[in-house]
Amino acid sequence: MVNLVAAQKPLLNGLMKMAGVRPHTVEIEPGTVMNFWVPCETVEKPKKKGDISSLRKPTKPVVVLVHGFAAEYSVYVPDLLFFGGSTTNNSDRSPTFQAECLEKGLRKLGVEKCTIVGFSYGGMVAFKMAELHQDLVQALVVSGSILAMTDSISEATLQRLGFASSSELLLPTSVKGLKALLSVAAHKKLWFPDRLHKDYLEVMFTNRQERGDLLEALVVSTKDTNIPNFPQRIHLLWGENDQIFNQELAHNMKEQLGDKATFQGIKKAGHLVHLERPCVYNRHLKLFLASLHTDGAPK
């Protein structure tokens, strides 16, 4: 029987290319490769059949979408390690290693400065990149994420949501588990037939062991955490009904980040804010991106 989710991949790949990006694999180091969707205008056609395509530096302001959109920007969309076509034989599963691989990949693609848009796990990787590579990351937009997953936040969140572990929440193994994840991730109830849930489980939750290791490596001791001094502007773009990382966490984080951080809530949206209210989300995102080139603050 045809997997309905897998059958959509060629269509989605075609839509991505119509949107102006195409896949490109970058070797970060021996044993580690990362897949990026890169702007078509940066790809030079091979002179001879069989030659490998080369890349030129982007000429527009760069926006990097980390898991989780645009003619006036050069948009790069990476697959983090163990997602999509990105893999490694390195045993490091920390957000720092993800950030270092992403930084190396972007530089190999000719990116010198960028704004990173990070969602959920990608937001934590984005924060780490901004902390470690301030010359590369000029600004951040973060949705449904936090600076670090401390053991206190992890325990409180899982207890509030009724899950025993992050893996139980984020790596479901059954239709029931997937429905439970969607029920806390979205503001409005999402209905799909069980057949589609089963197909989604088969296609979207690969590399379970490695992704479980990523989740374990996320959690750090509360007493060992500190707030980095970010020089970049940081915009927190949040679903007001986010059940996983609620608005209280977002507002606390804004206060911790200081005057360069701004917050914008989006009504009738949960953790999956960019999927539930894409037009509103993109409008606020574009306002912030435009404000980076003026003296005004995002509206």
Side-chain angles (χ1 to χ4, degrees):
M1 187 177 293
V2 176
N3 186 300
L4 298 177
V5 176
Q8 302 302 312
K9 283 193 172 183
L11 173 61
L12 293 174
N13 287 345
L15 291 172
M16 291 290 281
K17 291 178 180 178
M18 288 176 62
V21 293
R22 57 174 294 176
H24 185 82
T25 300
V26 178
E27 183 180 33
I28 306 301
E29 58 187 40
T32 301
V33 296
M34 184 170 274
N35 183 66
F36 287 79
W37 287 87
V38 304
C40 291
E41 69 267 16
T42 67
V43 181
E44 296 183 348
K45 293 182 179 180
K47 295 180 180 179
K48 296 180 181 179
K49 188 176 181 180
D51 288 353
I52 299 175
S53 299
S54 58
L55 297 177
R56 62 173 70 94
K57 290 183 179 182
T59 57
K60 304 172 186 175
V62 171
V63 175
V64 180
L65 305 181
V66 187
H67 287 201
F69 71 143
E72 63 264 58
Y73 300 99
S74 291
V75 179
Y76 291 75
V77 188
D79 287 325
L80 294 175
L81 297 173
F82 301 115
F83 295 86
S86 301
T87 62
T88 184
N89 58 15
N90 192 305
S91 61
D92 193 341
R93 299 290 184 262
S94 67
T96 298
F97 183 65
Q98 291 271 24
E100 294 290 10
C101 289
L102 182 53
E103 176 265 338
K104 291 176 183 176
L106 288 170
R107 292 194 194 275
K108 288 189 175 188
L109 293 170
V111 175
E112 297 175 346
K113 288 189 179 297
C114 65
T115 296
I116 299 185
V117 181
F119 164 71
S120 197
Y121 175 66
M124 299 182 209
V125 175
F127 272 128
K128 187 58 67 174
M129 265 196 72
E131 176 188 354
L132 298 175
H133 302 286
Q134 298 177 1
D135 63 317
L136 176 65
V137 182
Q138 65 175 2
L140 282 178
V141 179
V142 175
S143 301
S145 189
I146 50 180
L147 283 159
M149 179 63 83
T150 62
D151 46 19
S152 58
I153 291 177
S154 177
E155 290 169 9
T157 301
L158 291 171
Q159 185 176 14
R160 174 167 48 80
L161 296 176
F163 290 87
S165 67
S166 295
S167 290
E168 182 186 351
L169 169 62
L170 298 172
L171 294 173
T173 58
S174 65
V175 169
K176 181 180 179 181
L178 179 55
K179 288 181 177 180
L181 169 59
L182 293 175
S183 71
V184 300
H187 171 56
K188 292 184 178 179
K189 184 176 180 179
L190 302 175
W191 183 89
F192 302 104
D194 285 354
R195 160 74 189 283
L196 200 58
H197 282 95
K198 291 177 181 177
D199 289 353
Y200 190 88
L201 280 169
E202 287 181 11
V203 173
M204 301 305 291
F205 293 97
T206 56
N207 297 318
R208 284 183 175 273
Q209 178 61 52
E210 292 84 358
R211 293 190 192 183
D213 293 342
L214 293 176
L215 290 173
E216 286 187 15
L218 268 183
V219 182
V220 296
S221 173
T222 302
K223 63 182 180 181
D224 294 335
T225 58
N226 54 68
I227 309 300
N229 182 21
F230 292 102
Q232 302 97 331
R233 287 178 59 187
I234 300 174
H235 193 45
L236 306 177
L237 193 49
W238 230 258
E240 292 189 357
N241 304 99
D242 192 328
Q243 296 183 63
I244 298 177
F245 295 124
N246 57 37
Q247 278 198 95
E248 182 181 355
L249 282 174
H251 284 296
N252 289 341
M253 183 165 59
K254 177 184 177 297
E255 294 303 314
Q256 292 174 327
L257 290 170
D259 294 338
K260 291 197 173 182
T262 49
F263 174 87
Q264 175 67 55
I266 296 179
K267 297 181 183 297
K268 299 180 181 178
H271 190 66
L272 300 175
V273 56
H274 56 306
L275 299 180
E276 293 190 279
R277 304 294 306 277
C279 294
V280 178
Y281 182 92
N282 287 346
R283 182 169 71 247
H284 288 301
L285 176 56
K286 288 182 178 180
L287 282 172
F288 177 77
L289 295 175
S291 76
L292 296 176
H293 306 288
T294 66
D295 293 329
K299 300 177 182 178

